[in-house]
């Protein structure tokens, strides 16, 4: 079994996934547009240039996403994409890059379980937790 995050965007999936690929050093393996896919019965009038499905692969994990039909778009809540890194510098770099233009929910700091932990919502509305645990 594998579990992956699938993010829904309000029209900026391509920009977000390209940003995440740069941020995490990954590669985009799929960027399929609504205009190139089959039309579904009852489908909303979606911009054919928007993303129906995107897949980013980096360092053994996958992140997927799409532009959500406007009638179904909701602000993400009740979850965060958790990123675990092994060194402080990488935690600080990721937190800085992801939080630029977004909102810091909890500054990156030492906690009782980690040498660095912080929470943010990026400029695309995706909630993230950056965690760098202390050596055990």
């Amino acid at each position: 079994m594998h579990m992956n995050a699938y993010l829904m965007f309000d029209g900026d999936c391509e920009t977000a996934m390209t940003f995440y690929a740069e941020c995490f050093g990954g590669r985009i393996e799929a960027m399929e547009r609504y205009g190139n896919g089959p039309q579904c019965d009852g489908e909303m009038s979606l911009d054919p240039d928007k993303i129906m499905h995107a897949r980013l692969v980096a360092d053994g994990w996958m992140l997927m996403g799409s532009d959500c039909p406007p009638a179904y778009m909701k602000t993400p809540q009740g979850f965060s994409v958790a990123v675990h890194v092994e060194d402080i510098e990488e935690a600080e770099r990721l937190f800085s890059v992801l939080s630029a233009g977004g909102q810091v929910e909890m500054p990156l700091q030492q906690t009782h379980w980690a040498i660095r932990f912080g929470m943010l919502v990026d400029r695309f509305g995706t909630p993230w937790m950056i965690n760098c645990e202390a050596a055990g």
Side-chain angles (χ1 to χ4, degrees), residues 14-87:
E14 184 171 10
T15 303
M17 295 300 277
T18 300
F19 171 71
Y20 298 149
E22 293 171 8
C23 182
F24 294 107
R27 69 184 184 284
I28 295 174
E29 291 189 340
M31 190 73 71
E32 301 169 20
R33 299 185 188 285
Y34 281 102
N36 296 333
Q39 299 301 307
C40 301
D41 290 338
E43 184 176 84
M44 315 298 151
S45 58
L46 296 169
D47 182 336
D49 292 328
K50 295 301 177 187
I51 304 304
M52 180 174 57
H53 176 71
R55 182 176 62 250
L56 164 67
V57 175
D59 197 27
W61 56 266
M62 185 181 342
L63 182 65
M64 296 181 290
S66 67
D67 287 314
C68 187
Y72 296 104
M73 186 63 203
K74 296 178 182 169
T75 302
Q77 62 183 10
F79 82 98
S80 292
V81 180
V83 179
H84 301 273
V85 298
E86 295 183 8
D87 64 81

